[in-house]
Amino acid sequence: DTGVSQNPRHKITKRGQNVTFRCDPISEHNRLYWYRQTLGQGPEFLTYFQNEAQLEKSRLLSDRFSAERPKGSFSTLEIQRTEQGDSAMYLCASSPLPSGQEGYEQYFGPGTRLTVT
Amino acid sequence: SQKIEQNSEALNIQEGKTATLTCNYTNYSPAYLQWYRQDPGRGPVFLLLIRENEKEKRKERLKVTFDTTLKQSLFHITASQPADSATYLCALAGYSGAGSYQLTFGKGTKLSVIP
């Protein structure tokens, strides 16, 4: 079990550029989540996939944000026309389908730290 | 609006003592509550889950309580060690209507265990 991986770990970009992040969940996990975390705050939910279907999106996810999970495996999060307010840590998490009392915890990756200059 | 408050931004405690962290919430009826640990520059790590119909859960030196009347959870680390120094996040799970429970996190409490 290699855990959840995210790439890149750090990204510096200029305002107005597009960026794309990748998340590879734990292989047997059906569910995948994206969060954003700024300094001194807890993670904020952005979006959720079950297999390849994007089932929920937060109001935080403006039209400039798009996420995909083709074939229900890895996921990408793209931010178009980045703004300085997009600077944050972007976290990906995965979880299995709950079964009985098990499967409710989320396993987080190390995050991608985005800096928009 | 829904609100989650963790008692303090930072808590300093002497090694060997019990650390108690508080999570209060308003305008929320969570199905369950989770506690995570987060080290600087890393993603959160799951520690414990407690359901709305449970009063207490234990795991090694960790104990969590859940009082839905007071709308409060307490997280205890007994015999604290410097290695326990980290930020601890409280997360409430509400059914999102999309087949999943959405987690809402508090801001976290930074615990420092002093040798």
Side-chain angles (χ1 to χ4, degrees):
Chain A
D1 178 7
T2 57
V4 178
S5 62
Q6 293 187 246
N7 288 288
R9 294 293 308 277
H10 303 274
K11 179 71 178 178
I12 300 174
T13 191
K14 292 186 177 178
R15 189 177 53 177
Q17 298 294 305
N18 299 343
V19 293
T20 300
F21 311 139
R22 177 177 170 127
C23 170
D24 287 90
I26 294 172
S27 59
E28 62 269 25
H29 284 183
N30 302 88
R31 294 182 168 179
L32 187 147
Y33 311 81
W34 284 99
Y35 293 86
R36 180 175 69 189
Q37 187 175 26
T38 53
L39 200 61
Q41 303 294 316
E44 296 174 295
F45 170 80
L46 292 178
T47 191
Y48 148 65
F49 290 84
Q50 180 161 312
N51 300 316
E52 65 275 9
Q54 187 174 18
L55 296 185
E56 194 169 357
K57 291 193 287 188
S58 162
R59 289 189 305 275
L60 294 174
L61 215 64
S62 76
D63 291 344
R64 296 184 298 105
F65 288 70
S66 63
E68 293 183 341
R69 192 183 182 197
K71 302 178 184 177
S73 54
F74 71 92
S75 176
T76 58
L77 178 69
E78 181 183 15
I79 309 174
Q80 296 183 327
R81 305 181 302 282
T82 52
E83 302 172 355
Q84 286 188 320
D86 297 330
S87 295
M89 175 79 87
Y90 290 84
L91 292 162
C92 175
S94 70
S95 69
L97 280 176
S99 174
Q101 300 288 303
E102 304 296 324
Y104 290 90
E105 66 273 21
Q106 295 185 15
Y107 297 81
F108 283 80
T112 294
R113 181 164 296 284
L114 173 67
T115 302
V116 182
T117 62
Chain B
S1 62
Q2 296 173 346
K3 199 171 180 183
I4 301 171
E5 287 186 345
Q6 294 194 238
N7 59 329
S8 57
E9 289 187 7
L11 179 66
N12 296 329
I13 193 163
Q14 206 71 34
E15 182 177 5
K17 301 291 186 183
T18 296
T20 298
L21 284 64
T22 304
C23 176
N24 293 296
Y25 59 93
T26 55
N27 297 324
Y28 211 103
S29 295
Y32 57 87
L33 184 149
Q34 298 181 341
W35 284 89
Y36 286 79
R37 169 184 173 142
Q38 187 172 26
D39 291 286
R42 309 189 79 160
V45 174
F46 171 78
L47 296 175
L48 279 169
L49 178 154
I50 187 164
R51 290 185 166 77
E52 57 180 340
N53 60 349
E54 297 175 320
K55 296 292 184 188
E56 182 179 299
K57 271 280 187 68
R58 290 177 185 259
K59 179 182 175 183
E60 298 172 352
R61 294 184 296 111
L62 308 180
K63 184 177 86 171
V64 61
T65 63
F66 194 13
D67 189 326
T68 54
T69 302
L70 290 178
K71 295 187 183 296
Q72 181 181 80
S73 175
L74 299 179
F75 178 78
H76 306 272
I77 305 175
T78 57
S80 57
Q81 306 166 358
D84 295 326
S85 298
T87 295
Y88 291 85
L89 298 162
C90 164
L92 275 65
Y95 186 63
S96 67
S100 175
Y101 290 88
Q102 184 179 124
L103 288 183
T104 303
F105 284 84
K107 292 183 179 182
T109 295
K110 184 176 180 182
L111 175 67
S112 296
V113 181
I114 303 162

